[in-house]
Each structure stands twice: as C-alpha cells, then as structure tokens.
Amino acid sequence: MKSGDALLSAWSETLARKGDAPAIYNTRGDVLRTFEQIENRGRELEDSLGKFQTGDVVAIQIGNHEDWPSWLIALLRREHVTLPLEPGVRAGERANAFKVCNAVAVVAAAVTGGRNIEALPMRTSAATTDWGKSAPTLLKLTSGTTAEPRAIRFRSEQLLADCNQICDTMGISDSDLNFAVIPVSHSYGFSNLITPLIARGVPMILSSDPLPRAILDDLERSGATVFPGMPVFYQACCELREVPQLDRLRLCVSAGAPLPLEVASRFREKFRRPIHSFYGSSECGGICYDREGVALEAGFVGEPMKGVSLELLDPDVESSRVCVRSAAVADGYFPEPNEEKLDHGFFIPDDLLQKSAKGFRIVGRISDVINVAGKKVNPAEVEAALLRYQGVREAVVFGRESTLRNQEVAACVVASSDVNESQLLEFCRRRLSGWQVPKQILLVADIPVTERGKISRRELARAFPAQTP
C-alpha cells in the first residue's frame, strides 16, 4: 500500500472531517455516495486490482459515474497510474492510447451500457514501464503536435497543487456544491470536480444531460452553488425564453475556449450573474482567472492564479508566448519528452497572450493544433482519415475561428468528381471522435499555396472563414 501520497493524505483529512456527510448527489437530490461510502467502495475495489503490478497503467472510462473517486483512490493505494479517458473516444483512438501509455487494463462496464464496472485486463500484455525516480500517479492524454497521442506525467503533489490553486483563487470551499456536467475525465473536470471533492471535501452533483434546459432545471432543483461550464453552455442557456432564478448559484466559471463578450453580457443581463473566464492547460492546470467576471475585451482571462507566475517570453512585441511556472506543472511528456516546452516546474503553451493593467488576454496560437472547446485536434489525424476515402487525392485540415468553441475544424480536399461533402463528412463521423469531425469540407480543384509554394493553414482559415449563423 502506498504511504505518503499527497492526494491520499488530503483524502484522509477530508474523510476525518466529513465522514457521513453527502459527497455525491444525482440531479434529483438523492445521495449517491457519502464520503465514508466513497472510502468503503475504494477499499472494495482495491481487491480487484491485486493482479496488477506497481507502476502499471490502468485507464478509467466510465463517464461521470459515482465510482470515479473510489477508483482513483483505489489505484493510488495500489500505486498504479491512472489514465482518464472520455466515453466518446473511438475504438481505434482508444487502442492507440492504450498502446502508447502501456495500459494493462481499463475500468469500464463489462457489458456495453451496463452498470457493472470492472477493471478489464488488456487482451495483450503491455510492456513494463520504467518510470524512474519520480513515478507518475496520473497520465493526461493529449494529441500533441504529431499524429500519435502522447501523455502528460503528473504526480499527486502536482494534482493537489492545482486543486488548491483553483479552490483558493475561485473561493471554493466545502460549503459549496459543484455541478458536474462537464466530463470528469477531462483535465478541466478532473481539476475542478474530482480533486476538490477528494482534497477539499467539496461535494458535487453528477449530471448526464448536457441539454441547456436540463442544465438550468437541474441547477435550480439541486441548489448547486458552483457551475464549471463552457461558452457553448452559456450561449445555449441565454437563448432559452423562460429560465429559473438560480437563487443559490453564486459562481459561474467558463473554460475550454475564450468567452465571447456578447455571451458574457447576455448571461449577466438574463441571470444577473457574471461569468468568470478560466484559462488553463492540461500540462499545468489553471493559469489565469477573471476574478471579477468583467470580460473587459475579447479573449480576456484575467490575472494569474494564486501560486502561478507568468513570464512573457518576448515582452517587446504586442503578443507573446508565456512561460508558466507553478507547483502544478507536470513533470513532462510521455513517452517522448519535450524539455524545451514542458519540464519540472515550467510549461510554455502555444497560445499568444497580451498583457494589460487588468490582466491577460488570449489573442491566438502559434501551433497548428486546433483547439475545439478545450479538446486538441491534430490536423494530421483528420487528414489521414480523409485520405483513406477512395477518390481523395489531397487533404489539408485547418482550424478557423469559432464564436463558441474557440476554433472549429475545416478542410480543403482535392478529389474525383463523384466525391461530395456529405459522403466525406459521414466517412469522418464513423472514424473520428465527434470533436475531430470537420464542420465543413471544401472541395477544391487545387489546394491554395503561398507565394513560396507552401501550404499555410492560417491563410486557408482566412480564405475560408466560418459561416456566420
């Protein structure tokens, strides 16, 4: 059994303080787990992990399930490495992730759609991983800048630091009630929902219905006080006519994409509450937060989180990349490190930021990786799928500005005359995750190039902007 683990130590303190207090509710207000029941369930699950070795990677792919915290605690005690996976990940993408991360098992329903959750061993044995002196406790999956997925190595100390920075900066305490509709397996959900429950005793309401009307009704009925959401949620809620008062809701947080000024203004007018922009990254957790919810200008994300420092790498230009330093920064990438971008204590995102007296704003990205509401889409993966369609000769995928999702995926394709956009979109839907599927596929005679004869994704985005609804 593991001793001295930072998250387990924090959990012991939470358990001693909270005991039989409710920890997880459903949207009807029923108590699904008390803190003591999370602990007891975790102890039960430890026995099912006895067949695996110290340092083995075990994925969790169960959605927003009440057993998520118990599985994490059990894996920590067995000194296994947790790999969170979202339910919507395609089979091929999932298999690739298992291979890259050397996963030995996945926690999932034994039967599709069933409630019987088990740690299911892989059909083929994974290679033994030598983690060195600083073994991780959790891997966050990211697409990176190549077609192959890669993981980010975290120790419990870093995960706890991110949790503390979020709770301290946002003023979240165990008297709050978190509303969990964003995926807890995503970096945003894990840091804002799972670790605050374990380390700070912040209870949460599990929701499985992302429809705007259901979100508002469940927020009202449950008495939630904190709502970690995304711009697309807030936009959809603003479009509803008759809305509840949400009397107990005191904090609305938006992450995953920059919050449009119009959405922030409409929400404040309709619900009489500000939305607080939250900027973070899988590699380092929270970076900036708009404490006042003022939304001064497009892309505004406020000042650095408590415990986070930002350094402009090129302060003499209007917009610059930044170096993020905090105790929450990951140890590095796996299996191939990139020590110039991410190493012990610092991370350099691909975003371009501008600094003002009031804080920072995001003005763009330097990489080709497309940011769709916080999910990273590598153009090479989508291009590879398109090129597998018979009759497609060339394909270039690019990201273009999206009001609600930061960016959307688009593609230019050169193909034979019998190929149409509908066929290609359906082909992509069968082979890619939902957020990777292009919003539009443009059939062109030739892929436009620059004066130097090179393909520029940025120029394609300018030449083929998103259609205004």
Side-chain angles (χ1 to χ4, degrees):
M1 300 295 179
K2 191 167 188 174
S3 61
D5 179 272
L7 279 177
L8 289 179
S9 296
W11 169 244
S12 294
E13 295 177 7
T14 296
L15 189 60
R17 189 176 74 255
K18 303 288 284 190
D20 289 331
I24 303 175
Y25 300 84
N26 63 21
T27 54
R28 297 184 301 274
D30 303 321
V31 177
L32 301 177
R33 293 283 189 276
T34 65
F35 287 90
E36 189 67 40
Q37 287 170 339
I38 290 175
E39 167 69 7
N40 293 340
R41 180 63 173 151
R43 293 291 184 183
E44 291 176 9
L45 296 175
E46 283 185 64
D47 295 336
S48 67
L49 298 169
K51 64 188 80 147
F52 307 120
Q53 304 299 314
T54 298
D56 280 348
V57 177
V58 178
I60 302 181
Q61 192 180 25
I62 58 177
N64 284 17
H65 192 283
E66 60 267 24
D67 275 346
W68 223 108
S70 298
W71 275 108
L72 177 62
I73 290 166
L75 290 168
L76 287 171
R77 288 203 174 110
R78 286 289 185 180
E79 299 186 61
H80 301 318
V81 183
T82 300
L83 174 65
L85 285 181
E86 296 183 38
V89 174
R90 301 280 183 173
E93 187 179 353
R94 186 176 85 152
N96 210 12
F98 290 161
K99 180 180 178 181
V100 168
C101 296
N102 295 333
V104 301
V106 57
V107 175
V111 179
T112 302
R115 295 290 294 176
N116 186 22
I117 306 297
E118 301 177 17
L120 307 172
M122 298 289 103
R123 293 182 179 179
T124 57
S125 300
T128 301
T129 303
D130 180 6
W131 295 111
K133 294 181 180 180
S134 58
T137 55
L138 184 131
L139 299 177
K140 292 183 184 179
L141 202 63
T142 179
S143 59
T145 56
T146 67
E148 289 294 318
R150 61 179 175 179
I152 309 163
R153 298 175 48 146
F154 282 92
R155 289 174 286 113
S156 289
E157 291 85 353
Q158 295 152 335
L159 299 173
L160 179 60
D162 186 32
C163 168
N164 291 336
Q165 289 167 188
I166 287 171
C167 291
D168 291 344
T169 302
M170 299 182 185
I172 298 172
S173 73
D174 62 1
S175 62
D176 279 307
L177 186 54
N178 251 328
F179 190 80
V181 68
I182 59 174
V184 298
S185 53
H186 189 260
S187 180
Y188 179 23
F190 182 85
S191 296
N192 279 68
L193 297 164
I194 294 292
T195 52
L197 183 146
I198 288 174
R200 292 291 188 102
V202 183
M204 65 179 174
I205 301 154
L206 286 182
S207 170
S208 58
D209 193 341
L211 294 177
R213 174 60 65 186
I215 290 174
L216 287 178
D217 289 345
D218 291 342
L219 281 168
E220 174 71 9
R221 180 171 54 249
S222 65
T225 63
V226 179
F227 176 36
M230 298 184 294
V232 66
F233 288 168
Y234 295 112
Q235 168 70 42
C237 290
C238 287
E239 294 172 354
L240 297 176
R241 291 189 177 181
E242 296 182 5
V243 296
Q245 293 299 310
L246 305 179
D247 293 328
R248 292 195 59 191
L249 183 63
R250 67 167 193 85
L251 179 61
C252 295
V253 181
S254 180
L259 179 67
L261 292 178
E262 181 184 358
V263 173
S265 176
R266 288 179 62 192
F267 190 88
R268 182 191 291 267
E269 180 180 350
K270 196 178 191 75
F271 294 94
R272 301 188 302 279
R273 285 168 181 78
I275 302 174
H276 300 261
S277 289
F278 175 39
Y279 167 49
S281 178
S282 297
E283 286 87 347
C284 64
I287 300 174
C288 287
Y289 179 66
D290 179 4
R291 290 161 172 80
E292 302 301 322
V294 292
L296 292 172
E297 50 190 339
F300 184 74
V301 291
E303 298 180 344
M305 308 276 291
K306 288 185 178 180
V308 176
S309 67
L310 295 187
E311 175 192 354
L312 292 169
L313 296 183
D314 195 350
D316 297 327
V317 299
E318 185 177 359
S319 58
S320 169
R321 296 177 78 185
V322 298
C323 179
V324 182
R325 297 184 186 275
S326 84
V329 176
D331 284 337
Y333 292 112
F334 177 83
E336 295 296 330
N338 182 350
E339 296 174 353
E340 295 182 355
K341 182 180 178 69
L342 174 65
D343 202 5
H344 295 74
F346 80 89
F347 169 60
I348 301 175
D350 289 338
D351 300 303
L352 295 171
L353 273 67
Q354 288 181 355
K355 189 178 186 305
S356 68
K358 297 290 186 179
F360 289 86
R361 64 184 288 251
I362 303 171
V363 296
R365 290 173 66 82
I366 66 162
S367 72
D368 290 330
V369 174
I370 305 166
N371 182 2
V372 180
K375 299 179 186 293
K376 305 292 181 62
V377 177
N378 192 298
E381 294 176 337
V382 185
E383 288 166 358
L386 287 167
L387 289 170
R388 285 196 290 269
Y389 191 89
Q390 187 173 359
V392 172
R393 295 190 293 273
E394 293 181 75
V396 178
V397 172
F398 55 95
R400 58 191 186 185
E401 185 177 355
S402 169
T403 302
L404 297 178
R405 296 180 176 273
N406 192 23
Q407 290 181 295
E408 64 182 28
V409 181
C412 282
V413 168
V414 178
S416 55
S417 59
D418 58 341
V419 175
N420 62 49
E421 183 186 21
S422 297
Q423 294 169 338
L424 292 174
L425 288 172
E426 181 58 29
F427 185 80
C428 288
R429 292 188 188 104
R430 296 198 302 267
R431 287 160 176 79
L432 298 171
S433 298
W435 59 87
Q436 295 176 301
V437 176
K439 190 76 172 178
Q440 183 180 19
I441 297 177
L442 301 133
L443 294 165
V444 296
D446 299 287
I447 302 292
V449 297
T450 65
E451 293 179 354
R452 297 185 179 183
K454 296 183 179 181
I455 294 172
S456 169
R457 300 183 201 274
R458 182 175 297 179
E459 291 302 320
L460 287 177
R462 291 175 180 170
F464 303 102
Q467 297 175 352
T468 303

